Amino acid sequence: MSLALVHSRARSGVHAPAVRVEVHLSGGLPQFSIVGLPEAAVRESRDRVRAAIQCAQFEFPQRRITVNLAPADLPKDGGRFDLPIALGILAAGGLIPAAALAGIECLGELALTGELRAVDGVLPAALAAARAGRALLLPQDNAGEAALVNGVQAFGARTLLEACAHLTGTRPLTAAIPAPPAGDDDRIAAADLADVRGQAAARRALEIAAAGGHHLLLVGPPGCGKTLLASRLPGLLPPASEEEALEAAAIASVSGRGFDPARWRQRPFRNPHHSASAVALVGGGSEPRPGEISLAHHGVLFLDELPEWDRRTLESLREPLESGVVTISRAARQAEFPARFQLVAAMNPCPCGWAGDPSGRCRCTPEQVQRYRGKLSGPLLDRIDIHLEVPRLARGELRPDAPRGEASATVRVRVVAARERQLARAGKLNARLGQRETEVHCRLTPADQGLLERAMESLRLSARATHRILRVARTIADLAGSEAIRTAHLTEAIGYRRLDRDPMAGTAQRAALAAG
């Protein structure tokens, strides 16, 4: 038979569109052409495929070879089509049975020696293959990743010769099984909330943020524990569901930054440096790749030294914070990546970091403090639910024999219980409630409504900030096991927005008083 068809998958964001690799052998002078919008790496597969077939002790056909990658309007890139092209040539030449390729999808890069090299974006391809009801033949190094998907048989081959032996039935491969997931116990033990000394208010805010999925801003002097607190948030979150874990793992799979199948059930914690560009944070490039906010999907994104970030980079967070997705548009293609992350940001109260400290060491002028605060836009701060001042610890609280606080496991029990109440009531976390859902589930008594309106007037809160206060108050009530939002719950939620209008006003005044 001079025509063969091999099923494969391209990569488009976190999706894996189907590609039909059609191979035709015809008479005429020897020629090898690839059509169907291939990019440079795909066009170069001609030399890799030829050398790999010859090293596998097959005779490369001295005929006119035409490879069509359909659909023709879908860009194809990378070396993932090497294996299907090679198998298509062998099937068209009658060296392997073409019927064996009907129920299987193939992808993998070939070395000149015929070895199969791992490719990225395997997990979305495995999910798509499972939906199509086909098995998957791919490099051995990718087999464990593909095996994470229920309902798909993933066969890992080390060489082109092993792949051909499997298809001919002379030496069938064994379906891969997923590696046992790494437990969270060691990770949580290494980042336990019990390590945080003192800071009762910050620990409380962290628990509320974990319970409702709220964004958190920590403002305090150097060394007060802001980074320590942020790193403890993942240990307070409940384990990711299989659906959430697969979504996050699929993003890591297409990122090109490596993927560890043994840790796919762990919620991500991303901590990019403040010198990162907007493309690194949000994603992009000529070939769209996910950024840090997508790699933190269903996890935590920690931005330290928030005013040191480029303002335009921070402004690019505004839409993803609301929508939970980021769309990257280029002239030739468009990609959409999920970005439902929980933001924890940290900053100093002034350029030197010591405004408001009882030692009075700060010498920043109010104008310097205002310029420092002005690096952050009001709309961005408006989208952060909880603003909290973190004071410097007293010397006695740092002693080795000082009492330790609650462990992460203890707090996580309360967090899980509060989340279960939210899911049973609205089907989503409080931080993700829409305007109408907020009105339904966050009702106040007339007296408390008057209290909220007075807070709106005195703090000059926007409508968005007001809705976020209501959602935080609903989370506080859920932690207390209350069906209704009480005055104490609302008062505490308003207290977490006291820095909303001017986060540095109070610290600047205290710094001026301390300086005498």
Side-chain angles (χ1 to χ4, degrees), residues 82-127:
D82 289 3
L83 178 60
I85 290 173
L87 294 177
I89 292 174
L90 295 175
L95 299 176
I96 61 174
L101 297 169
I104 197 167
E105 298 184 1
C106 309
L107 52 91
E109 180 181 337
L110 284 171
L112 299 182
T113 60
E115 294 182 30
L116 283 173
R117 290 175 175 162
V119 295
D120 59 4
V122 165
L123 197 56
L127 290 166

Side-chain angles (χ1 to χ4, degrees), residues 5-11 16-22 36 68-71 74-76 80-81 84 105-106 134:
L5 170 65
V6 186
H7 298 283
S8 188
R9 296 278 169 181
R11 185 187 60 212
V19 172
R20 291 161 55 95
V21 181
E22 303 166 349
N68 179 38
L69 306 177
L74 177 69
K76 290 87 178 177
R80 60 198 304 113
F81 299 108
E105 298 184 1
C106 309
R134 299 192 187 99

Side-chain angles (χ1 to χ4, degrees), residues 167-178:
L167 294 172
T168 57
T170 57
R171 192 178 299 170
L173 297 170
T174 303
I177 58 175

Side-chain angles (χ1 to χ4, degrees), residues 38-62:
E39 296 189 358
V42 182
R43 293 194 299 269
E44 292 170 353
S45 67
R46 293 175 296 188
D47 298 320
R48 295 193 297 269
V49 167
R50 179 183 288 107
I53 289 177
Q54 291 173 344
C55 286
Q57 304 302 312
F58 291 110
E59 182 180 353
F60 190 82
Q62 298 301 312

